[in-house]
Amino acid sequence: MAKKTLIQYVCQNCGAIYPKWQGKCDACGEWNTILEEKTANEGFSNIKSTNKGHKIEFFDLNGVTQNLERISTGIKELDRVSGGGLVAGSVILVGGDPGIGKSTLLLQACASIANQASNPECYYISGEEALDQVRIRAKRLGLEKSPVKLASATDIKDIIVTLEKTSAKVVVIDSIQTMYLEEAESTPGSVSQVRACAYELIKLAKKKGFVLFLVGHVTKQGSIAGPRVLEHMVDTVLYFEGERGHQFRILRAVKNRYGATDEIGVFEMQDKGLAEVDNPSALFLAERQGNISGSCVFAGIEGSRPVLVEIQALVSPTGYASPKRAVVGWDTSRLSMVLAVLEARGGLNLSSQDVYLNIAGGLKISEPAADLAVAMAIISSLTNRPLPSDMVIFGEIGLSGEVRAVSQPSLRLKEAQKLGFKSAIIPSQYKKDSKLNSAEISLHEIGNVQKLINWFN
Ligand code: TYD
Ligand code: MG
């Protein structure tokens, strides 16, 4: 059958397909991300018409399974995020803004694995940088002596033919958006190319049993496809985030078939590469100044680890018809909800006030457990009364103004105790929990928003 080429319109952000061009993607809501792409009508799997298919076998759930072989990267934070080491044959997508440090992290990981006693073969294939650029980076990181095998290539066929003949343990493709497969007729970086290239590489990784890292840039412009179009094809999705102005970088697992999600690894970008941060709480609180209104410490949990962060709020009379709300590191709609509850249930007047909220240190928090700390910071700024600097806070706020219990209170309190905090404001549901009372921290239980406001009087 002759190969027919179809034209379709594909959103470069989320991969949604449309028969006609349109300005806005209905699926993800992004503007100007839809591009024309050619695609072969038979798909990527090249199903031959002569193949009638085979009968598949079914097994019991309780069969014997082998323990997963895990390769330690020698970078504790990366091991933690990947669920305790890299699983042979797994595919890991590392997404993040350009310049955030993806190449640096993966070069460090590659070098660290290649240096292990068993001499695992590690391949670093760069489609973005010339050999010299990678070499200069390796020198800067002090890794130039590591036996990493380095290549600069973009043709997927060449890469696959080469890797077929090796006994690779780890392969890094930096980045998937620069790779090119001739058969997939569209331009490099488009959704069809990115998917087709990833598909071929993943097939090989599963067959040969090597760990495959795919680097994917996050992009807003839509001229190259974002990592989201690959998320369902890979085993693990890690996002590398951080604020440009800060040296902290956070590696977050958003999907992991071999471990827990929401786990974070914390790094610091130094002049000699990424350094691991063992105690993130101490780091996030390092620049905190005591006795200032609008600031409080939230005892949060990121994955399996407690993390204390400073929450800062600034409330000031507005000069606009509708007051401003600006948020860094937290959810804007969650802030609106907390403000609405404080107004409706607590009787505070915030509609004539601008509210600014900042999570210090560049961490992004998504836990509802931060509600109470956010509310405390706002009331503290509004009333201009500082909170005790040795106090931590956690708890969720419901729409009727009640303060709700959150998970793992003892883990949060233990971390606070370790860092020298003396008191905590917590939801009142824990009264019967004797485990909490044994802590060396004095506990103040708060049942609703009204009590929280009274606390300042
Ligand atoms: P890079 O790993 O190239 O980012 P990505 O691959 O995500 O695009 O990181 C580049 C940035 O990191 C660059 O702005 C310089 C900075 N950097 C350091 O601060 N220290 C270092 O040792 C290295 C190698 C890079
Ligand atoms: Mg890079």
Side-chain angles (χ1 to χ4, degrees), residues 304-437:
S304 60
R305 173 160 67 171
V307 178
L308 303 191
V309 279
E310 181 187 359
I311 293 186
Q312 302 173 325
L314 179 65
V315 179
S316 68
T318 184
Y320 305 97
S322 59
K324 260 187 104 127
R325 272 86 175 93
V327 184
V328 178
W330 209 48
D331 185 16
T332 314
S333 46
R334 196 90 204 164
L335 173 68
S336 307
M337 193 208 85
V338 170
L339 292 175
V341 172
L342 288 177
E343 284 208 302
R345 312 288 178 192
L348 294 182
N349 180 10
L350 292 159
S351 54
S352 57
Q353 308 281 345
D354 289 337
V355 178
Y356 302 90
L357 189 77
N358 179 35
I359 312 296
L363 187 69
K364 286 194 182 75
I365 295 183
S366 54
E367 260 193 304
D371 291 353
L372 197 60
V374 168
M376 277 302 248
I378 291 167
I379 306 169
S380 159
S381 175
L382 183 71
T383 56
N384 201 17
R385 300 186 56 170
L387 291 158
S389 61
D390 59 358
M391 186 171 83
V392 296
I393 302 158
F394 60 87
E396 184 180 340
I397 294 178
L399 286 184
S400 53
E402 82 280 18
V403 174
R404 294 162 167 254
V406 296
S407 63
Q408 297 176 293
S410 49
L411 201 58
R412 296 170 198 266
L413 290 173
K414 231 185 257 159
E415 176 79 355
Q417 194 181 325
K418 209 165 82 188
L419 286 153
F421 285 84
K422 296 277 180 276
S423 62
I425 292 193
I426 62 171
S428 56
Q429 283 87 340
Y430 300 124
K431 262 186 200 128
K432 291 168 220 113
D433 197 337
S434 55
K435 261 197 291 182
L436 295 187
N437 289 328

Side-chain angles (χ1 to χ4, degrees), residues 102-103 128-129 137 174 215 217:
K102 302 182 292 297
S103 305
E128 267 175 14
E129 293 163 307
R137 175 176 301 125
D174 187 2
V215 174
H217 289 304

